[in-house]
Amino acid sequence: MTVKTNERPGTRAVLRHCRMSSTKAREALDLVRGLDYTRAVELLDHTDRAAGPVVAKLLRSAAANAEHNDGQFPEELYVASCYADEGTTLKRFRHRARGRGTRIRKRTCHITIILSRMPEDQIARLKARSAAQNADRRARRVAGARRRARAATAEEAGALAAEEGAEGVEETETTGRRAPRARKVTPAKKSAQTAPSRETATKAVPAKKAVPAKKAAPAKKAAPAKKAAPAKKAVPAKKGVPAKKAAPAKKAAPTKKAAPAKKAAVASKATRVIARIAKKTTRKPSGKDRS
């Protein structure tokens, strides 16, 4: 005998007169039907449907009812049944042309969600899976912490080496000598260095005396400088020869007069033609009176 959808056992939560159509609510309900509670909540929180937040809130309400009223754990519940029924329809009108009106129907719905406890074998599988996931997360967390600790120690060692190098540079700047590098000594070499050798046990050989340096040869005396030759006497002038007179200075050449400035340029062609005509028409005066 089959059990009706609305008569299935479990804890339920009902939302009445939800202001959306039942068709829109059923799209969100179809996503979570048959899933466990944890997975259903995650799916509804990340869906883009308008009914997603409404159905998710109702699902959390059903889980709270099961926890507080029936004493069950939400992790052991699953969505046994969910459905949406049509509710009342609000009728409104919109004004249209020629005094008419268009009907507007505002739909509502009643949403119901029923949560039931999963079978024991399924709960055991879920617990084993969650334990494995937690162990994996813990191992990764511990590995990350160790990796960060190693990186921190390496940084500290690098900082110490940098400080030692800076101190060596300061010593070289102050003393002018290069700081000696520290050599790593293996345990075998260290024991060899500390153990007394046979050569050191024997008496030390006396060092040879230094050969005395030769005396420096005496420096040669400088040669005497040569005497300077006597200067020649001036020849006396002959008596009776008169001294030549100095030549008279030449007179300065007379400076040329400045050339007169050139006359203005010849008049233009028209003025020359007029002057020529006037010259022909004028008559030279004669000495005779013809009257």
Side-chain angles (χ1 to χ4, degrees):
M1 182 178 179
T2 59
V3 181
K4 292 183 180 180
T5 305
N6 58 347
E7 294 179 357
R8 290 187 179 179
T11 307
R12 67 179 59 199
V14 182
L15 175 61
R16 296 189 179 275
H17 301 288
C18 179
R19 293 295 296 268
M20 72 172 57
S21 65
S22 58
T23 308
K24 295 178 181 179
R26 285 169 189 152
E27 291 180 354
L29 293 173
D30 292 340
L31 296 174
V32 298
R33 187 177 287 109
L35 297 179
D36 59 287
Y37 169 75
T38 308
R39 176 63 178 162
V41 170
E42 291 176 357
L43 193 61
L44 289 172
D45 287 341
H46 295 86
T47 185
D48 295 334
R49 297 291 180 181
V54 178
V55 177
K57 188 175 181 180
L58 184 62
L59 184 61
R60 289 188 175 92
S61 177
N65 292 340
E67 185 177 1
H68 294 287
N69 299 340
D70 301 336
Q72 297 178 354
F73 297 102
E75 295 81 8
E76 298 177 357
L77 302 176
Y78 76 103
V79 182
S81 177
C82 56
Y83 52 90
D85 299 328
E86 291 184 4
T88 57
T89 302
L90 305 177
K91 298 177 180 64
R92 301 290 182 267
F93 289 90
R94 181 184 177 189
H95 298 288
R96 299 302 296 270
R98 299 182 181 182
R100 289 178 288 189
T102 302
R103 182 179 295 177
I104 299 174
R105 298 181 181 87
K106 295 180 181 289
R107 309 283 186 178
T108 62
C109 63
H110 310 308
I111 305 172
T112 305
I113 295 177
I114 301 173
L115 296 179
S116 299
R117 192 170 185 275
M118 291 183 289
E120 295 296 335
D121 55 346
Q122 190 174 356
I123 293 172
R125 286 196 300 270
L126 287 176
K127 287 183 178 180
R129 187 190 308 165
S130 63
Q133 290 177 355
N134 292 336
D136 187 19
R137 292 194 194 99
R138 185 177 180 282
R140 279 184 282 149
R141 187 169 60 250
V142 171
R146 290 176 180 174
R147 198 183 309 113
R148 288 190 293 272
R150 287 196 297 269
T153 53
E155 288 180 1
E156 291 177 1
L160 291 174
E163 290 178 1
E164 291 178 359
E167 290 176 0
V169 171
E170 291 178 359
E171 289 180 1
T172 52
E173 290 178 355
T174 54
T175 60
R177 294 180 181 179
R178 190 172 181 181
R181 294 182 180 179
R183 296 181 180 179
K184 293 182 179 180
V185 182
T186 57
K189 291 183 178 179
K190 192 173 182 181
S191 60
Q193 290 178 0
T194 54
S197 60
R198 293 181 181 178
E199 295 178 0
T200 54
T202 57
K203 292 182 179 180
V205 180
K208 293 182 180 180
K209 293 182 180 180
V211 180
K214 294 181 180 180
K215 291 182 180 180
K220 294 181 179 181
K221 293 182 180 180
K226 292 182 179 181
K227 293 182 180 180
K232 293 182 180 180
K233 293 181 180 180
V235 180
K238 293 181 179 180
K239 293 180 180 180
V241 179
K244 291 183 179 181
K245 292 182 180 181
K250 292 182 179 181
K251 292 182 179 180
T255 57
K256 293 183 179 181
K257 293 182 179 181
K262 290 184 179 181
K263 292 182 178 181
V266 187
S268 61
K269 187 176 180 180
T271 55
R272 281 186 279 140
V273 171
I274 293 169
R276 198 181 300 120
I277 293 170
K279 190 176 181 180
K280 288 181 181 180
T281 54
T282 54
R283 184 169 58 86
K284 295 181 180 180
S286 61
K288 296 178 181 182
D289 189 7
R290 294 181 180 182
S291 56

